[in-house]
Amino acid sequence: MNDGILFYWFMWMGWVLATFLFQKKQSRNVIAFILLTGIILADYNISFSLGTVNAAIAFLFLIGIVHVIRNTSELLYYLTVSFIIAVSYVFLQIFALYDPAKLFIDKKYLLILTLAAVTFLITKRNKDYFYLLLIGLFIGDLLYQLMIFRLTGNLEIGSMSVLDLLASSTMIQFCMVLLIDVFKKLKRVSYKKVNPAKPF
Protein backbone atom coordinates (compact mmCIF):
# COMPACT_ATOMS: atom_id res chain seq x y z
CA MET A 1 0.00 0.00 0.00
CA ASN A 2 1.37 3.40 -1.00
CA ASP A 3 2.09 5.92 1.74
CA GLY A 4 -0.56 8.61 2.00
CA ILE A 5 -3.55 6.58 0.81
CA LEU A 6 -4.91 6.07 4.34
CA PHE A 7 -4.41 9.75 5.15
CA TYR A 8 -6.33 10.99 2.12
CA TRP A 9 -9.04 8.35 2.49
CA PHE A 10 -9.75 9.06 6.16
CA MET A 11 -9.38 12.83 5.82
CA TRP A 12 -11.88 12.96 2.94
CA MET A 13 -14.20 10.64 4.87
CA GLY A 14 -13.98 12.91 7.91
CA TRP A 15 -14.61 16.02 5.80
CA VAL A 16 -17.70 14.47 4.20
CA LEU A 17 -19.06 13.43 7.61
CA ALA A 18 -18.38 16.86 9.11
CA THR A 19 -19.84 18.76 6.16
CA PHE A 20 -22.99 16.77 5.48
CA LEU A 21 -23.84 14.75 8.60
CA PHE A 22 -22.77 16.79 11.64
CA GLN A 23 -25.18 19.26 13.22
CA LYS A 24 -24.88 22.82 11.97
CA LYS A 25 -22.67 24.32 14.64
CA GLN A 26 -19.51 26.40 14.63
CA SER A 27 -17.50 23.33 15.67
CA ARG A 28 -18.62 21.57 12.47
CA ASN A 29 -17.24 24.40 10.34
CA VAL A 30 -13.95 24.38 12.27
CA ILE A 31 -13.53 20.61 11.84
CA ALA A 32 -14.34 20.79 8.12
CA PHE A 33 -11.87 23.67 7.66
CA ILE A 34 -9.06 21.86 9.50
CA LEU A 35 -9.58 18.64 7.53
CA LEU A 36 -9.79 20.35 4.14
CA THR A 37 -6.73 22.51 4.84
CA GLY A 38 -4.79 19.42 5.95
CA ILE A 39 -5.70 17.65 2.70
CA ILE A 40 -4.57 20.63 0.59
CA LEU A 41 -1.28 21.13 2.46
CA ALA A 42 -0.28 17.44 2.45
CA ASP A 43 1.34 17.79 -0.98
CA TYR A 44 3.67 20.59 0.15
CA ASN A 45 6.90 20.50 2.12
CA ILE A 46 8.62 23.33 3.98
CA SER A 47 12.37 23.20 3.35
CA PHE A 48 15.04 24.21 5.86
CA SER A 49 18.78 23.70 6.14
CA LEU A 50 18.66 20.14 7.52
CA GLY A 51 15.66 18.77 5.62
CA THR A 52 11.92 19.25 5.17
CA VAL A 53 8.71 19.46 7.20
CA ASN A 54 5.39 18.47 5.68
CA ALA A 55 3.13 21.53 5.59
CA ALA A 56 0.05 19.54 6.66
CA ILE A 57 1.59 18.17 9.85
CA ALA A 58 3.08 21.59 10.65
CA PHE A 59 -0.39 23.14 10.29
CA LEU A 60 -2.03 20.44 12.41
CA PHE A 61 0.70 20.79 15.05
CA LEU A 62 -0.05 24.52 15.27
CA ILE A 63 -3.75 23.67 15.72
CA GLY A 64 -2.76 21.39 18.61
CA ILE A 65 -0.61 24.12 20.19
CA VAL A 66 -3.54 26.57 19.96
CA HIS A 67 -5.71 24.02 21.78
CA VAL A 68 -3.09 23.66 24.52
CA ILE A 69 -2.74 27.45 24.87
CA ARG A 70 -6.51 27.71 25.35
CA ASN A 71 -6.22 25.24 28.23
CA THR A 72 -3.03 26.42 29.96
CA SER A 73 -4.42 25.43 33.36
CA GLU A 74 -3.78 21.79 32.38
CA LEU A 75 -0.40 22.34 30.72
CA LEU A 76 1.35 19.64 32.78
CA TYR A 77 -1.30 17.09 31.75
CA TYR A 78 -0.90 17.93 28.06
CA LEU A 79 2.90 17.82 28.26
CA THR A 80 2.86 14.47 30.07
CA VAL A 81 0.45 12.77 27.68
CA SER A 82 2.20 14.15 24.58
CA PHE A 83 5.57 13.00 25.92
CA ILE A 84 4.26 9.46 26.57
CA ILE A 85 2.86 9.26 23.03
CA ALA A 86 6.13 10.59 21.58
CA VAL A 87 8.23 8.09 23.55
CA SER A 88 5.96 5.21 22.49
CA TYR A 89 6.39 6.19 18.84
CA VAL A 90 10.18 6.56 19.09
CA PHE A 91 10.57 3.27 20.98
CA LEU A 92 8.66 1.29 18.35
CA GLN A 93 10.50 2.97 15.48
CA ILE A 94 13.92 2.27 17.01
CA PHE A 95 12.94 -1.30 17.86
CA ALA A 96 11.75 -1.89 14.28
CA LEU A 97 14.93 -0.31 12.94
CA TYR A 98 17.35 -2.48 14.90
CA ASP A 99 15.39 -5.73 15.27
CA PRO A 100 12.56 -5.86 12.70
CA ALA A 101 12.50 -9.68 12.70
CA LYS A 102 10.87 -9.72 16.15
CA LEU A 103 7.83 -7.70 15.04
CA PHE A 104 4.87 -10.07 14.79
CA ILE A 105 2.88 -7.71 12.53
CA ASP A 106 3.78 -5.01 10.02
CA LYS A 107 5.43 -2.01 11.68
CA LYS A 108 2.91 0.45 10.24
CA TYR A 109 -0.11 -1.37 11.66
CA LEU A 110 1.65 -1.94 14.98
CA LEU A 111 2.32 1.79 15.26
CA ILE A 112 -1.30 2.63 14.40
CA LEU A 113 -2.70 0.26 17.03
CA THR A 114 -0.18 1.29 19.68
CA LEU A 115 -0.66 5.03 19.21
CA ALA A 116 -4.45 4.68 19.21
CA ALA A 117 -4.43 2.48 22.33
CA VAL A 118 -1.95 4.62 24.30
CA THR A 119 -3.79 7.86 23.45
CA PHE A 120 -7.16 6.34 24.28
CA LEU A 121 -6.00 4.95 27.64
CA ILE A 122 -4.20 8.01 29.00
CA THR A 123 -6.40 10.82 27.65
CA LYS A 124 -9.12 12.08 29.97
CA ARG A 125 -11.53 13.77 27.55
CA ASN A 126 -12.78 12.90 24.08
CA LYS A 127 -12.00 16.35 22.71
CA ASP A 128 -8.29 15.94 23.55
CA TYR A 129 -7.70 12.72 21.58
CA PHE A 130 -6.87 14.31 18.23
CA TYR A 131 -4.84 17.22 19.60
CA LEU A 132 -2.68 15.18 21.95
CA LEU A 133 -2.11 12.50 19.35
CA LEU A 134 -0.90 14.93 16.71
CA ILE A 135 1.32 16.84 19.16
CA GLY A 136 2.84 13.61 20.48
CA LEU A 137 3.28 12.20 16.99
CA PHE A 138 4.94 15.39 15.74
CA ILE A 139 7.35 15.48 18.69
CA GLY A 140 8.02 11.75 18.39
CA ASP A 141 8.76 11.96 14.67
CA LEU A 142 11.06 14.94 15.26
CA LEU A 143 12.98 13.04 17.96
CA TYR A 144 13.21 9.92 15.80
CA GLN A 145 14.48 11.88 12.80
CA LEU A 146 17.12 13.56 14.97
CA MET A 147 18.22 10.15 16.29
CA ILE A 148 18.71 8.69 12.79
CA PHE A 149 20.07 11.89 11.25
CA ARG A 150 23.60 10.46 11.14
CA LEU A 151 22.31 7.52 9.12
CA THR A 152 20.13 9.44 6.67
CA GLY A 153 21.83 12.85 6.56
CA ASN A 154 18.41 14.46 6.10
CA LEU A 155 15.43 15.27 8.32
CA GLU A 156 12.02 14.40 6.88
CA ILE A 157 9.49 15.42 9.51
CA GLY A 158 5.91 14.42 8.81
CA SER A 159 6.31 12.09 5.85
CA MET A 160 3.22 10.61 4.21
CA SER A 161 3.62 7.45 6.30
CA VAL A 162 3.45 9.59 9.47
CA LEU A 163 0.31 11.28 8.15
CA ASP A 164 -1.13 7.79 7.59
CA LEU A 165 -0.43 6.99 11.24
CA LEU A 166 -2.13 10.17 12.40
CA ALA A 167 -5.27 9.71 10.29
CA SER A 168 -5.61 5.98 10.99
CA SER A 169 -5.08 6.29 14.74
CA THR A 170 -7.58 9.15 14.90
CA MET A 171 -10.15 7.11 12.98
CA ILE A 172 -9.71 4.17 15.37
CA GLN A 173 -10.22 6.48 18.34
CA PHE A 174 -13.32 7.97 16.72
CA CYS A 175 -14.78 4.48 16.25
CA MET A 176 -13.92 3.52 19.84
CA VAL A 177 -15.67 6.64 21.18
CA LEU A 178 -18.75 5.83 19.09
CA LEU A 179 -18.80 2.24 20.36
CA ILE A 180 -18.50 3.36 23.98
CA ASP A 181 -21.38 5.80 23.49
CA VAL A 182 -23.50 3.04 21.96
CA PHE A 183 -22.73 0.68 24.85
CA LYS A 184 -23.61 3.40 27.38
CA LYS A 185 -26.95 4.01 25.70
CA LEU A 186 -27.69 0.30 25.58
CA LYS A 187 -26.80 -0.01 29.24
CA ARG A 188 -29.15 2.85 30.15
CA VAL A 189 -31.96 1.24 28.18
CA SER A 190 -31.41 -2.22 29.67
CA TYR A 191 -31.30 -0.93 33.25
CA LYS A 192 -34.12 1.52 32.87
CA LYS A 193 -36.59 1.04 35.66
CA VAL A 194 -40.09 0.02 34.65
CA ASN A 195 -42.87 1.98 36.35
CA PRO A 196 -44.48 -0.26 38.99
CA ALA A 197 -48.10 -1.24 38.55
CA LYS A 198 -50.61 0.94 40.31
CA PRO A 199 -51.93 -0.55 43.56
CA PHE A 200 -55.55 -1.63 43.59
Side-chain angles (χ1 to χ4, degrees), residues 119-136:
T119 308
F120 188 80
L121 290 173
I122 64 178
T123 305
K124 294 189 294 187
R125 295 179 299 270
N126 293 349
K127 67 177 184 178
D128 293 332
Y129 287 145
F130 175 70
Y131 300 109
L132 291 176
L133 176 62
L134 68 90
I135 292 172

Side-chain angles (χ1 to χ4, degrees), residues 3 9 40 46 65 72 88 96 109-111 114 119 126 129 146 149 164 182:
D3 290 337
W9 178 258
I40 294 170
I46 303 169
I65 295 299
T72 50
S88 302
Y109 301 114
L110 182 61
L111 282 166
T114 302
T119 308
N126 293 349
Y129 287 145
L146 289 172
F149 179 70
D164 278 348
V182 169

Side-chain angles (χ1 to χ4, degrees), residues 87-97 107 110-111 114:
V87 169
S88 302
Y89 173 80
V90 172
F91 174 78
L92 283 174
Q93 286 282 28
I94 294 297
F95 184 80
L97 182 67
K107 181 185 77 171
L110 182 61
L111 282 166
T114 302

Side-chain angles (χ1 to χ4, degrees), residues 40-182:
I40 294 170
L41 294 177
D43 286 333
Y44 299 95
N45 290 313
I46 303 169
S47 299
F48 60 100
S49 58
L50 297 178
T52 59
V53 180
N54 186 278
I57 202 162
F59 166 74
L60 294 172
F61 178 71
L62 290 176
I63 295 294
I65 295 299
V66 169
H67 178 73
V68 171
I69 291 172
R70 287 180 176 177
N71 300 274
T72 50
S73 59
E74 297 184 279
L75 184 59
L76 180 61
Y77 158 71
Y78 287 121
L79 289 175
T80 304
V81 174
S82 299
F83 179 74
I84 292 172
I85 295 170
V87 169
S88 302
Y89 173 80
V90 172
F91 174 78
L92 283 174
Q93 286 282 28
I94 294 297
F95 184 80
L97 182 67
Y98 285 101
D99 203 353
K102 289 188 177 180
L103 294 178
F104 53 93
I105 61 174
D106 187 89
K107 181 185 77 171
K108 187 172 187 175
Y109 301 114
L110 182 61
L111 282 166
I112 291 170
L113 294 174
T114 302
L115 291 174
V118 169
T119 308
F120 188 80
L121 290 173
I122 64 178
T123 305
K124 294 189 294 187
R125 295 179 299 270
N126 293 349
K127 67 177 184 178
D128 293 332
Y129 287 145
F130 175 70
Y131 300 109
L132 291 176
L133 176 62
L134 68 90
I135 292 172
L137 187 56
F138 182 88
I139 295 171
D141 193 45
L142 175 61
L143 293 174
Y144 175 67
Q145 292 293 326
L146 289 172
M147 292 176 72
I148 64 170
F149 179 70
R150 289 186 178 182
L151 300 175
T152 61
N154 181 57
L155 296 179
E156 187 184 3
I157 303 168
S159 62
M160 295 308 295
S161 62
V162 174
L163 292 176
D164 278 348
L165 293 177
L166 176 61
S168 303
S169 301
T170 303
M171 184 58 67
I172 290 175
Q173 290 174 0
F174 179 71
C175 293
M176 291 172 74
V177 170
L178 286 180
L179 284 174
I180 289 174
D181 288 341
V182 169

Side-chain angles (χ1 to χ4, degrees), residues 2-15:
N2 294 332
D3 290 337
I5 289 179
L6 293 176
F7 172 77
Y8 285 116
W9 178 258
F10 289 135
M11 290 289 278
W12 276 118
M13 187 186 302
W15 182 82

